[in-house]
């Protein structure tokens, strides 16, 4: 089931997104032009199933109010219960967070939000 079987570690998740930005141990997943096209908005606005605003490129979530990642320029995907993996090309970093205790989905997980804010504070 492709939409629900992403089982990995935080390190591997972050490395996957890092390999979208550039080479990681000899592997590059997306060429720069492919990435540029993949993170262009394809859909944005209220999701009639979820009931809140969403924002998608081709195969990636893009930042939106309930799932901001590191703000504009980020691409990735949030998972069930608080997990998230994403990268930010302009800031040149990737991020992965997984957990062993799920919280209800539908809003920004406070654990994820705090970790991303701490990371961004270090980059400023």
């Amino acid at each position: 089931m492709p939409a629900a079987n992403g089982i990995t570690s935080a390190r591997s998740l972050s490395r996957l997104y890092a390999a979208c930005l550039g080479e990681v141990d000899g592997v590059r997943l997306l060429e720069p032009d492919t990435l540029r096209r993949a993170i262009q908005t394809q859909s944005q606005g209220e999701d009639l199933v979820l009931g809140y605003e969403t924002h998608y490129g081709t195969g990636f979530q893009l930042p939106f109010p309930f799932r901001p990642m590191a703000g504009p320029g980020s691409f990735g995907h949030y998972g069930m219960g608080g997990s998230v993996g994403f990268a930010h090309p302009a800031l040149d970093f990737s991020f992965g967070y997984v957990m062993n205790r799920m919280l209800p989905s539908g809003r920004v997980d406070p654990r994820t939000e705090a970790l991303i804010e701490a990371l961004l504070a270090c980059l400023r």
Side-chain angles (χ1 to χ4, degrees):
M1 188 153 89
N5 282 329
I7 300 169
T8 190
S9 67
R11 179 184 171 123
S12 294
L13 185 59
S14 180
R15 287 170 55 85
L16 177 129
Y17 283 101
C20 291
L21 298 179
E23 193 172 300
V24 175
D25 294 336
V27 175
R28 182 185 189 115
L29 296 177
L30 300 174
E31 292 298 323
D33 189 55
T34 303
L35 177 60
R36 182 188 56 75
R37 287 182 282 129
I39 61 176
Q40 291 176 351
T41 298
Q42 299 298 314
S43 173
Q44 186 172 18
E46 183 180 352
D47 185 305
L48 299 178
V49 174
L50 298 174
Y52 54 79
E53 179 183 342
T54 61
H55 187 194
Y56 289 91
T58 304
F60 296 109
Q61 281 183 342
L62 304 176
F64 55 90
F66 286 129
R67 307 279 169 88
M69 294 179 238
S74 302
F75 69 94
H77 211 286
Y78 282 80
M80 288 296 296
S83 61
V84 62
F86 68 89
H88 195 296
L91 297 176
D92 195 32
F93 78 90
S94 62
F95 179 87
Y97 173 71
V98 299
M99 67 289 157
N100 59 6
R101 180 171 174 249
M102 293 176 62
L103 295 180
S105 294
R107 62 179 184 84
V108 177
D109 186 293
R111 301 166 298 181
T112 307
E113 184 176 37
L115 287 169
I116 294 170
E117 286 301 317
L119 170 63
L120 292 174
C122 291
L123 295 174
R124 291 184 186 126

